[in-house]
Amino acid sequence: MPVQNQKKPRLLSLMPFKAIEEDYLNDFKSNFILDELKVSNHDEAVAAIKSYIAESGPYDAFIVLMGTKPYEPFTPEFLAPLLPRCQIVVSASAGYDEFPIDWLTGCGVWFCNTRHSVSEPTADMAMFLTLAVIRDTSRAEKSARAGLWRNDHVPCTDPSGLKLGIIGMGAIGKHHARKAAVFNMHVQYYNRRRLPPEDEITYNVTYCPTLEDLLRTSDVISVSCPLDATTKGLLSHKEFAQMKDGVFIVNTARGAIINEEALIAALESGKVARAGLDVFEDEPRINPYFSKSDRCIIQPHLGGLTQKARRDAEKECLENIKSLFTTGRPVAPVNEIS
């Protein structure tokens, strides 16, 4: 579909595209001018953005692909050189706590995350960690590798019949619920807004009107909500005290949603039997306790990092931009621009 501008919109990507199909990208470039930065850190990115704008003029859109950590923080100062021309910032990640959404909204800039591309792979990781904590797989593997065979690995818990409580029933939570049902787990959820009745039937989930209801009655608790001012430290000492003794914890969302000090205390006391963590508060640095403890199954934030997810996320970024410049509105905006 041709862009409804006489001049092609100019786009700047913080990183080169790596996974998208060449045919798709070539077709997209027939209607847009796309420049790609090749920088390795925050300071290089800031300098390159200013240099590109000075040399070739302003950009209408800014693209941030997967692997943002070296370039953070995305402060207003980082993004300000793109204004006032830039109309939209798109990210290839589902989470968006690293971006100044309120500031972008005040500047009249749309912001879009990827709602679908990384959802199922992240739910796969959540399901993997759910099974891993229930079956105590890391400790068993450690024994086997050490030549101790089963060592003291006594019969473990069976997922069948356990109650899985999902905090945040967006796309990732829904995929996790669907996968957990295959293992005969009973799924309940807590969300800012209750799902429509037809969705609850589709995903076979039960709504908990309060977070405490979910914490008090779940055997496994999985965190799938976004990180923002209302969810930072959502699970802390008070919340762990409300949980069942021997509960299992899974986090594939953002590390800061769980107070790590409180989690460690709960693991040490036995309140939490095991934790499966793909995210950490100060990643890539991992609290040494989680690295060393047999009560923890850890991953280096791999939830959405699959080949298909990377390809689809890159495409989703461009589809948001294409939609804005053809219809006046992106496909999946996080904010609203009047």
Side-chain angles (χ1 to χ4, degrees):
M1 185 174 186
V3 175
Q4 296 174 351
N5 291 26
Q6 291 184 344
K7 296 182 178 180
K8 293 181 180 180
R10 302 183 67 249
L11 321 178
L12 182 63
S13 179
L14 179 59
M15 309 91 137
F17 283 78
K18 297 179 180 179
I20 201 167
E21 298 97 329
E22 186 175 350
D23 288 346
Y24 177 94
L25 194 57
N26 288 336
D27 180 68
F28 181 85
K29 287 180 178 178
S30 67
N31 288 308
F32 296 88
I33 298 170
L34 175 61
D35 292 333
E36 300 174 338
L37 299 181
K38 295 180 180 179
V39 292
S40 59
N41 58 53
H42 176 90
D43 292 343
E44 288 181 9
V46 170
I49 291 169
K50 293 178 180 177
S51 175
Y52 269 56
I53 292 172
E55 291 177 8
S56 58
Y59 289 92
D60 298 283
F62 186 60
I63 304 163
V64 181
L65 301 178
M66 288 184 176
T68 63
K69 205 65 183 180
Y71 310 101
E72 296 177 20
F74 296 112
T75 60
E77 292 73 23
F78 183 104
L79 299 168
L82 296 161
L83 302 179
R85 177 75 169 266
C86 184
Q87 298 180 48
I88 184 171
V89 173
V90 296
S91 168
S93 300
Y96 47 86
D97 53 286
E98 62 267 42
F99 292 94
I101 307 300
D102 291 343
W103 179 81
L104 287 169
T105 304
C107 295
V109 179
W110 294 93
F111 179 85
C112 300
N113 64 341
T114 53
R115 294 186 178 177
H116 304 292
S117 304
V118 301
S119 298
E120 186 155 15
T122 303
D124 289 340
M125 176 62 75
M127 194 66 235
F128 160 74
L129 290 172
T130 298
L131 294 174
V133 294
I134 292 172
R135 296 296 300 265
D136 197 9
T137 57
S138 287
R139 199 167 62 86
E141 181 175 353
K142 184 178 178 181
S143 293
R145 287 181 180 275
L148 300 175
W149 194 228
R150 292 173 183 160
N151 197 13
D152 63 344
H153 200 75
V154 297
C156 56
T157 309
D158 194 306
S160 184
L162 293 186
K163 188 170 287 186
L164 169 64
I166 299 176
I167 302 174
M169 191 53 73
I172 295 170
K174 290 173 181 175
H175 281 303
H176 191 187
R178 178 170 54 81
K179 295 171 191 294
V182 176
F183 294 90
N184 300 312
M185 300 185 77
H186 305 296
V187 183
Q188 59 184 7
Y189 74 98
Y190 172 73
N191 207 42
R192 283 178 290 187
R193 289 180 294 275
R194 184 170 184 173
L195 296 180
E198 57 270 25
D199 282 0
E200 292 187 345
I201 293 171
T202 297
Y203 296 101
N204 194 23
V205 294
T206 302
Y207 176 64
C208 292
T210 68
L211 178 60
E212 182 178 358
D213 288 336
L214 181 139
L215 301 179
R216 183 172 44 80
T217 58
S218 297
D219 301 298
V220 184
I221 295 169
S222 179
V223 179
S224 291
C225 59
L227 173 63
D228 57 28
T230 66
T231 60
K232 185 174 183 180
L234 181 68
L235 299 185
S236 192
H237 295 280
K238 174 187 173 183
E239 287 71 31
F240 282 110
Q242 295 169 345
M243 299 177 191
K244 288 184 176 182
D245 292 340
V247 69
F248 301 104
I249 298 292
V250 170
N251 188 5
T252 56
R254 287 293 187 268
I257 296 172
I258 297 179
N259 179 321
E260 291 188 345
E261 178 185 316
L263 174 57
I264 291 170
L267 284 162
E268 283 295 290
S269 71
K271 170 62 76 169
V272 174
R274 280 180 291 279
L277 307 172
D278 187 42
V279 290
F280 303 88
E281 190 169 0
D282 192 26
E283 55 185 64
R285 191 188 75 84
I286 299 175
N287 186 305
Y289 178 90
F290 301 130
S291 302
K292 297 174 182 177
S293 175
D294 285 340
R295 299 183 178 96
C296 299
I297 292 90
I298 61 174
Q299 295 286 293
H301 203 155
L302 292 179
L305 289 179
T306 68
Q307 294 176 342
K308 181 178 183 297
R310 184 187 289 271
R311 181 198 70 200
D312 292 350
E314 290 182 358
K315 188 181 296 185
E316 200 168 334
C317 285
L318 297 184
E319 287 296 320
N320 272 304
I321 292 172
K322 185 190 298 184
S323 178
L324 176 63
F325 289 101
T326 54
T327 72
R329 181 180 177 84
V331 178
V334 169
N335 58 351
E336 287 294 331
I337 303 299
S338 56

